[in-house]
Amino acid sequence: MSQSPSTNKNPQADQMADESMVRCLAAQAQAVWPQEKALIDRYGLAANVTVLDMACGTGEFSERLARHIGGSHVTGVDLVAAHVEAASKRCGDIGDRTRFQVGDAFALEFPDHHFDLVAARHFLQAIPDSELAMKEAIRVTKPGGRLHVVAEDYSMMHFHPTGELDCDDFWRHGPITFAQKTGTDLRGGRKMFTMMRELGLEDVRVEHIVVDTTRVPRATFAAIWTAWRDGYSDAIATKTRFTADEARAYFDAMIGAIEDPNGYGIWNLPVVTGLVPVATR
């Protein structure tokens, strides 16, 4: 199952650090959090829960979780120093319960069995060896603790109408091919249940967050796709059959479907959770 280790731990570094990613993270959090919060509430976490937010970005999730669970202590790590700085500023008024640091998901600087909850959200698709990152997540989770994984899958999205453009074809031969050529996998969401089971987690469950034009404000949904268009069109052109202008045209067609009052768009996000077994620790 494991991919071959890559010498480049962050092959999408330029895209992750671009200003468009900051816009993307903000819009994603606005779209996802209302449904994600309900899933987290089902975990029955203690008020003093300790949480690791792997690849925390600008701290959108960390902040929301820390404010939602008032006694929680949240640590965020990210490779992008500017994101870590932004996260620290975002949570400045709750700095006694939050901290952020530059960190590597493949080699976390925390002891074994350290956190009650480890969240790996929206990033496994952008790294070359998601299984290695998952092993690190398991290592730092307490026995009986939980992993919370938002595992993107870029074949789980559809839009209509998009005119003469076949957006399913674009995803397969555009972003998904781009990812393959950088050693990453944009269809990992469907594989996460199997991975977590084979890594020994218990009570592995799959829920879904549905980002669509009936559940999420169209402007919020469109903002995610606009940020992707701005951050990835040029990169897609370097490794696929699509030119940058063609990539932008496909993104614009999907944005048009989202913004059209009679149009429909959906991005289905698997949320896979599991418990670190107690008996083997």
Side-chain angles (χ1 to χ4, degrees):
M1 179 192 302
S2 179
Q3 298 163 304
S4 298
S6 172
T7 56
N8 185 357
K9 296 179 178 180
N10 191 10
Q12 298 181 33
D14 290 344
Q15 291 74 45
M16 294 297 109
D18 190 78
E19 63 81 24
S20 62
M21 183 55 60
V22 176
R23 289 187 276 126
C24 178
L25 294 173
Q28 280 185 171
Q30 291 172 22
V32 168
W33 175 249
Q35 296 177 58
E36 188 173 18
K37 175 176 65 174
L39 297 180
I40 289 171
D41 285 345
R42 296 182 196 174
Y43 300 159
L45 301 172
N48 62 345
V49 64
T50 57
V51 181
L52 173 64
D53 186 3
M54 297 175 69
C56 64
T58 54
E60 297 278 1
F61 173 77
S62 295
E63 178 195 16
R64 284 169 169 80
L65 183 65
R67 296 190 191 283
H68 183 57
I69 305 177
S72 58
H73 292 266
V74 182
T75 299
V77 297
D78 199 278
L79 275 176
V80 181
H83 290 347
V84 170
E85 181 179 357
S88 297
K89 290 180 179 178
R90 178 185 304 279
C91 296
D93 65 315
I94 49 173
D96 59 326
R97 296 191 294 107
T98 60
R99 68 186 181 102
F100 300 92
Q101 62 192 64
V102 175
D104 182 351
F106 295 122
L108 295 169
E109 296 181 357
F110 303 107
D112 295 352
H113 319 154
H114 193 64
F115 297 97
D116 298 304
L117 175 71
V118 173
R121 307 170 61 262
H122 299 292
F123 86 98
L124 293 174
Q125 79 284 348
I127 60 174
D129 192 339
S130 57
E131 184 175 325
L132 178 57
M134 287 297 298
K135 288 178 178 177
E136 271 295 273
I138 293 169
R139 180 185 66 79
V140 301
T141 304
K142 294 177 182 178
R146 182 179 295 274
L147 267 66
H148 171 85
V149 181
V150 180
E152 297 183 10
D153 190 311
Y154 285 60
S155 290
M156 295 186 181
M157 47 183 64
H158 305 286
F159 302 87
H160 180 81
T162 57
E164 297 180 356
L165 295 179
D166 184 345
C167 292
D168 294 336
D169 181 71
F170 170 69
W171 283 111
R172 177 176 291 277
H173 297 289
I176 291 173
T177 296
F178 165 78
Q180 289 171 341
K181 292 184 177 180
T182 63
T184 60
D185 183 3
L186 292 191
R187 292 191 293 182
R190 70 192 64 189
K191 304 169 186 175
M192 189 51 58
F193 177 89
T194 302
M195 180 186 293
M196 291 173 69
R197 289 276 298 175
E198 291 183 350
L199 289 174
L201 294 178
E202 298 178 343
D203 193 29
V204 179
R205 302 182 183 185
V206 182
E207 303 285 352
H208 290 88
I209 291 172
V210 180
V211 177
D212 76 348
T213 47
T214 68
R215 293 169 175 82
V216 173
R218 289 178 184 268
T220 302
F221 194 172
I224 301 171
W225 257 246
T226 300
W228 283 355
R229 178 199 65 194
D230 297 346
Y232 277 92
S233 293
D234 289 341
I236 288 168
T238 65
K239 296 184 182 297
T240 75
R241 75 187 196 204
F242 297 100
T243 68
D245 285 343
E246 287 171 336
R248 279 187 280 270
Y250 277 97
F251 279 116
D252 284 341
M254 290 180 275
I255 293 166
I258 295 169
E259 294 178 335
D260 181 351
N262 294 325
Y264 182 75
I266 182 170
W267 179 28
N268 191 46
L269 280 168
V271 181
V272 191
T273 72
L275 299 177
V276 174
V278 175
T280 59
R281 293 299 190 185

